[in-house]
Amino acid sequence: MGETVWYWTVRQHIRPAYHDCRVTLSFFTGGTAKGAGCRLSLVFAPCALGGVSNTYFESGTVVRLPDRSHLNLYEPGTARRLLDAAAPALEAQPAARNVAVDGWPYFAEVVDRADQAAGGHEPA
């Protein structure tokens, strides 16, 4: 992304109580480029409108429940689109080395942008 090389990882935390489960997509930089040493974590927690994988579906998958839109955070294209969408969160806190944000707004931005480009969903 620009001059900065970003690496990414997905971590899944499964707990006995589903509402305590989390799937986290983290991006981090290395080297001496501008922004080196930064970490941006998009945290997906179960909520009324979204679910996270906890053995029911593929590991690393997050699902928006009303329309069943989903993203697999292990897919490189998905990770890149989420990084592009969330990059302003880092710019808003330039001195912070670790930024953790709710991932659901970025999920919506990525999925809704893809839907607009494709002309929307077909009725089920």
Side-chain angles (χ1 to χ4, degrees):
M1 187 173 186
E3 298 286 321
T4 304
V5 175
W6 288 90
Y7 302 93
W8 56 280
T9 185
V10 177
R11 293 194 177 159
Q12 187 166 334
H13 300 279
I14 298 175
R15 303 285 187 245
Y18 178 64
H19 66 272
D20 291 330
C21 295
R22 303 286 182 269
V23 176
T24 303
L25 173 62
S26 294
F27 300 97
F28 54 96
T29 60
T32 58
K34 180 181 178 185
C38 295
R39 177 179 301 272
L40 171 63
S41 297
L42 305 182
V43 181
F44 294 89
C47 63
L49 299 177
V52 301
S53 57
N54 71 336
T55 70
Y56 181 69
F57 41 88
E58 286 183 329
S59 177
T61 300
V62 291
V63 179
R64 183 168 57 188
L65 298 174
D67 63 0
R68 297 188 182 134
S69 293
H70 65 280
L71 294 174
N72 185 320
L73 305 181
Y74 285 108
E75 294 178 2
T78 296
R80 176 56 196 248
R81 288 189 306 272
L82 285 165
L83 175 60
D84 289 342
L90 282 175
E91 294 167 9
Q93 302 177 48
R97 294 185 51 111
N98 293 302
V99 176
V101 296
D102 179 10
W104 289 112
Y106 304 106
F107 174 103
E109 185 176 333
V110 167
V111 170
D112 294 344
R113 186 181 307 149
D115 285 350
Q116 288 173 356
H121 281 306
E122 292 292 320

